[in-house]
């Protein structure tokens, strides 16, 4: 299993993209840079060793500084350290939070169950292994239904089980929901916020960030990833259109166009189609937050490829709303763009409204990726 770990500051960058609150921070490679970062923040800071190992705190790799001058000298000491035999090449300089409570939240793959499991504890700060040993009753665990994904109400239930009440339930639940989005977008093997800090003034912020990406999916699709990376010298009309609309588009040898949101999900969809004996013609990643127009454009581009004999739309609604996706599908069909069978699977945000729109238009949809992949392969075989 190949596994790619991200540095805390890289993980926090991704967190911010998904609107997970993190304290203001900046990266420094020298004491001078650390002084500058601290001055920019303009408040007491914490200086943190950026190494790919946990327990930096215990090793002395997490230290506080009240002034930029002090941040420079603390950074100098940390940059000279080795932690678990790893040299410290950069530090993260971050606003120091006033802690009311340290909380643990995370999502990881349970290899035995072959499911994602969401983990939370109001007793954060310690590693989850220590916590499991000392007070297992304080750890809340919930498996995620692989087809439905983590539902917002489940996230709230976890927050309640962790002991939170009132408006804090929603505050904490949103961390789980956002982490789940990251998990589905990046083929995450483990993501963890420890500690997630509840500040004296009642805010929740990610003070630490761990993100390990399973690049198996990418690995299986090496040629595809390469095709996505290199800018084609000569683009055909479809590739040009897709690029213009900022969609990731690759043409393959099969006959089933896979239109999805997120590279990880698109690759997983290609795999599901292959598993059911079909072959994909198209990798089309709409990206995050696609609206009806974008979905319609994606279908239109996919249909321009003469090899396409069926379309499979597979959407995990998060930022992307299922009702918007449904509207896009319906209007693509009304425009007469779709001359082949269309199979839809979508779950997540506004799922019910999306299904209602499809139902009214007489477009069938399926609940799981497996069913959808099986269906689209069957339809292609029937047509042949
Ligand atoms: P790790 O030891 O490698 O997991 O590093 P962390 O980032 O988790 O930091 C270790 C500990 O330092 C945390 O559990 C906190 O107790 C403390 N810490 C980290 N950031 C802050 C902060 O912004 N403010 C305060 N007061 N403490 C912090
Ligand atoms: Mn930590």
């Amino acid at each position: 299993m190949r596994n790619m770990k991200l540095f805390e500051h890289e993980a926090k960058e991704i967190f911010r993209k998904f609107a997970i609150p993190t304290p203001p921070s900046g990266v420094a490679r020298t004491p001078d840079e650390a002084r500058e970062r601290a001055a920019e923040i303009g408040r007491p800071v914490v200086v943190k060793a950026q190494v790919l190992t946990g327990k930096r705190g215990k090793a002395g790799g997490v230290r506080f500084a009240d002034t930029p001058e002090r941040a420079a000298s603390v950074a100098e000491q940390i940059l000279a350290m080795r932690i678990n035999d790893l040299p410290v090449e950069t530090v993260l300089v971050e606003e120091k939070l006033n802690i009311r409570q340290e909380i643990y939240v995370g999502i990881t793959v349970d290899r035995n169950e072959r499911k994602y499991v969401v983990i939370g504890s109001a007793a954060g700060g310690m590693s989850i292994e220590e916590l499991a040993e000392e007070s297992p009753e304080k750890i809340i665990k919930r498996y995620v239904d692989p087809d439905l994904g983590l539902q917002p109400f489940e996230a709230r239930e976890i927050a309640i089980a962790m002991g939170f009440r009132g408006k804090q339930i929603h505050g904490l639940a949103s961390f789980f929901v956002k982490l789940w989005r990251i998990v589905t977008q990046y083929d995450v093997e483990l993501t963890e916020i420890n500690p997630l800090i509840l500040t004296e003034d009642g805010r929740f912020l990610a003070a630490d960030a761990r993100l390990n990406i399973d690049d198996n999916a990418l690995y299986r699709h090496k040629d595809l990833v390469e095709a996505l990376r290199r800018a084609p010298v000569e683009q055909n009309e479809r590739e040009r259109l897709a690029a213009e609309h900022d969609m990731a588009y690759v043409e393959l040898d099969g006959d089933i166009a896979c239109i999805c949101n997120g590279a990880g999900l698109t690759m997983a969809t290609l795999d599901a189609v292959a598993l059911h004996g079909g072959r994909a013609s198209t990798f089309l990643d709409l990206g995050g937050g696609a609206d009806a127009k974008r979905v319609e454009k994606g279908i239109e581009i996919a249909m321009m490829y003469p090899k396409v004999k069926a379309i499979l739309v597979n959407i995990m609604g998060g930022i992307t709303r299922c009702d918007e996706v449904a509207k896009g599908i319906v209007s693509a069909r009304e425009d007469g763009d779709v001359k082949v069978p269309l199979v839809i699977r979508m779950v997540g945000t506004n799922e019910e409204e999306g299904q209602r729109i499809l139902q009214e238009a007489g477009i069938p949809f399926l609940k799981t990726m497996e069913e959808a992949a099986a269906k689209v392969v069957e339809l292609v075989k029937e047509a042949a």
Side-chain angles (χ1 to χ4, degrees):
M1 151 128 331
R2 288 171 54 94
N3 195 277
M4 187 174 82
K5 291 183 176 169
L6 301 191
F7 285 105
E8 175 190 6
H9 68 88
E10 295 171 327
K12 280 182 170 163
E13 215 169 281
I14 293 180
F15 279 14
R16 280 185 208 112
K17 278 193 195 142
F18 284 77
I20 293 180
T22 56
S25 65
V27 174
R29 298 188 136 261
T30 63
D32 280 343
E33 285 178 5
R35 183 189 296 110
E36 283 170 31
R37 297 293 90 77
E40 284 158 12
I41 291 167
R43 300 174 49 82
V45 295
V46 51
V47 180
K48 309 178 73 178
Q50 297 299 287
V51 280
L52 296 174
T53 173
K55 303 195 181 169
R56 294 161 303 167
K58 280 189 185 143
V62 177
R63 301 186 52 186
F64 302 106
D66 284 343
T67 63
E69 231 14 80
R70 183 82 190 127
S73 68
V74 163
E76 186 170 15
Q77 289 163 21
I78 295 177
L79 286 165
M81 288 175 69
R82 289 179 84 87
I83 300 178
N84 277 343
D85 224 28
L86 297 166
V88 182
E89 278 162 6
T90 48
V91 292
L92 183 67
V93 182
E94 184 169 270
E95 182 184 328
K96 180 183 171 188
L97 302 171
N98 295 317
I99 302 180
R100 187 194 300 174
Q101 189 176 347
E102 295 196 31
I103 299 157
Y104 176 100
V105 305
I107 302 179
T108 188
V109 178
D110 184 317
R111 298 252 163 249
N112 295 325
E113 297 280 332
R114 302 186 73 221
K115 275 182 186 166
Y116 278 107
V117 59
V118 178
I119 304 169
S121 177
M126 268 194 279
S127 81
I128 197 69
E129 294 85 4
E130 286 171 274
L131 199 59
E133 209 150 276
E134 287 172 29
S135 25
E137 75 287 352
K138 288 186 184 152
I139 301 177
I140 308 303
K141 278 172 107 176
R142 292 283 186 278
Y143 288 102
V144 181
D145 183 316
D147 292 311
L148 299 177
L150 181 70
Q151 308 282 314
F153 79 88
E154 292 173 313
R156 291 193 293 273
E157 281 174 5
I158 297 167
I160 293 167
M162 286 165 69
F164 291 90
R165 295 294 176 264
K167 69 176 200 291
Q168 288 183 342
I169 294 168
H170 181 75
L172 195 58
S174 75
F175 279 80
F176 289 118
V177 170
K178 288 167 188 169
L179 282 183
W180 176 250
R181 280 179 201 150
I182 295 176
V183 164
T184 57
Q185 291 274 319
Y186 288 92
D187 278 299
V188 170
E189 193 253 344
L190 164 76
T191 181
E192 194 179 85
I193 305 176
N194 187 27
L196 191 171
I197 288 180
L198 172 58
T199 60
E200 289 293 358
D201 55 2
R203 294 174 300 142
F204 288 110
L205 293 123
D208 194 3
R210 195 163 158 193
L211 189 55
N212 299 352
I213 295 177
D214 171 7
D215 58 7
N216 247 350
L218 298 180
Y219 203 60
R220 277 198 310 276
H221 296 282
K222 231 177 176 172
D223 41 344
L224 192 56
V225 173
E226 258 159 42
L228 285 168
R229 277 211 190 104
R230 77 170 179 251
V233 192
E234 258 175 61
Q235 290 181 318
N236 64 34
E237 173 71 0
R238 305 172 292 267
E239 290 163 339
R240 200 189 53 68
L241 260 177
E244 193 177 289
H245 288 87
D246 204 19
M247 296 172 189
Y249 175 91
V250 180
E251 294 184 346
L252 306 156
D253 292 334
D255 44 23
I256 297 170
C258 299
I259 304 178
C260 316
N261 61 331
L265 183 66
T266 316
M267 287 182 194
T269 307
L270 260 49
D271 284 344
V273 165
L275 204 69
H276 288 87
R279 293 183 70 198
S281 64
T282 313
F283 171 108
L284 202 164
D285 172 9
L286 294 167
D291 60 6
K293 279 235 148 18
R294 196 169 169 78
V295 172
E296 189 181 347
K297 184 53 84 180
I299 294 174
E300 189 188 305
I301 294 171
M303 274 313 304
M304 289 164 65
Y305 189 29
K307 283 190 177 174
V308 174
K309 295 206 187 102
I311 293 179
L312 171 56
V313 179
N314 183 16
I315 300 290
M316 290 269 267
I319 326 166
T320 308
R321 288 167 35 191
C322 292
D323 55 328
E324 280 292 315
V325 174
K327 281 180 199 156
I329 293 166
V330 170
S331 62
R333 218 186 49 163
E334 279 171 357
D335 291 351
D337 287 339
V338 189
K339 299 178 187 74
V340 297
L342 193 57
V343 175
I344 320 291
R345 180 261 183 168
M346 56 186 190
V347 290
T349 312
N350 292 1
E351 180 180 330
E352 276 161 30
E353 176 63 7
Q355 291 176 349
R356 195 189 58 73
I357 294 168
L358 291 179
Q359 217 149 25
E360 270 179 15
I363 301 173
F365 56 86
L366 292 148
K367 267 278 182 187
T368 73
M369 175 155 82
E370 294 305 313
E371 287 172 295
K375 183 76 191 166
V376 77
V377 172
E378 183 193 311
L379 289 172
V380 168
K381 287 199 175 137
E382 268 172 19

